[in-house]
């Protein structure tokens, strides 16, 4: 379900009263590929509900350059919403999801790749609230950037 920031905090509050485990991740998810599916499936296994913070179009442009995103925020949100592991999608316009993480206050924050947990945006907040930060390894060669390069060649 695609929700506003206001509505996601209400939903999360209800789930927390039921002692449900909230997992949060974020990203651009511009061209969905098998690496995304693996990552989201692994994230979902960590809790009861998976919330995906999705960068808006303007946020993606600031982070990735003027030629991105390939797909609009609405199209990206709809595709994510239809994926089995994803329970909720919420858009954010900032360059980082820190304020959204603080609003949702998930039990588990998930990121992909070769990060040190201390380098992940929101990891300090998660430590303060005794939450967990989990890193899910990327699948080698599976990225939106590699897909775009392949198309251009």
């Amino acid at each position: 379900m695609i929700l506003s920031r206001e509505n996601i905090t209400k939903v999360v509050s209800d789930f927390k009263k039921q002692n449900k485990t909230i997992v949060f991740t974020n990203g651009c998810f511009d061209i969905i590929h098998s690496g995304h599916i693996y990552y989201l499936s692994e994230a979902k296994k960590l809790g009861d509900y998976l919330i995906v913070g999705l960068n808006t179009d303007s946020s993606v442009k600031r982070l990735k350059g003027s030629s991105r995103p390939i797909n609009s925020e609405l199209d990206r949100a709809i595709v994510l919403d239809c994926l089995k592991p994803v329970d909720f999608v919420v858009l954010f316009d900032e360059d980082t999801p820190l304020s959204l993480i603080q609003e949702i206050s998930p039990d588990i924050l998930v990121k992909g790749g070769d990060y040190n947990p201390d380098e992940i945006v929101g990891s300090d907040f998660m430590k303060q609230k005794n939450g967990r930060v989990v890193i899910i390894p990327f699948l080698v060669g599976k990225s939106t950037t590699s897909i775009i390069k392949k198309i251009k060649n």
Side-chain angles (χ1 to χ4, degrees):
M1 181 176 294
I2 303 168
L3 295 178
S4 68
R5 283 175 84 143
E6 180 182 320
N7 287 336
I8 195 67
T9 55
K10 290 176 186 174
V11 166
V12 168
S13 176
D14 289 343
F15 291 150
K16 287 183 180 188
K17 290 175 188 169
Q18 300 169 33
N19 292 316
K20 299 296 183 183
T21 303
I22 307 299
V23 180
F24 177 86
T25 193
N26 67 281
C28 301
F29 297 97
D30 196 1
I31 299 174
I32 298 293
H33 51 76
S34 61
H36 288 132
I37 302 304
Y38 168 77
Y39 170 76
L40 293 169
S41 296
E42 292 300 303
K44 173 64 176 185
K45 291 176 186 177
L46 299 171
D48 297 305
Y49 294 98
L50 175 61
I51 299 171
V52 177
L54 181 64
N55 292 76
T56 61
D57 290 348
S58 59
S59 177
V60 174
K61 280 190 188 316
R62 289 191 305 274
L63 295 170
K64 304 280 187 180
S66 61
S67 65
R68 301 278 300 275
I70 302 299
N71 292 299
S72 72
E73 63 193 46
L74 179 58
D75 286 344
R76 292 181 288 121
I78 290 169
V79 170
L80 279 171
D81 184 46
C82 290
L83 298 178
K84 187 175 183 178
V86 177
D87 295 297
F88 300 97
V89 178
V90 58
L91 292 164
F92 70 97
D93 195 45
E94 300 86 354
D95 290 344
T96 76
L98 182 59
S99 64
L100 182 57
I101 292 167
Q102 291 169 334
E103 290 169 30
I104 292 172
S105 191
D107 300 294
I108 303 170
L109 173 62
V110 178
K111 285 301 289 179
D114 301 324
Y115 289 95
N116 175 330
D118 295 335
E119 298 170 342
I120 295 172
V121 170
S123 65
D124 289 341
F125 173 76
M126 295 301 288
K127 282 181 193 174
Q128 290 171 5
K129 66 177 244 67
N130 294 319
R132 291 176 48 207
V133 176
V134 176
I135 297 171
I136 297 174
F138 282 132
L139 294 180
V140 177
K142 303 296 182 186
S143 73
T144 298
T145 302
S146 66
I147 291 170
I148 292 170
K149 285 180 183 176
K150 187 174 182 178
I151 291 169
K152 286 182 176 180
N153 290 333

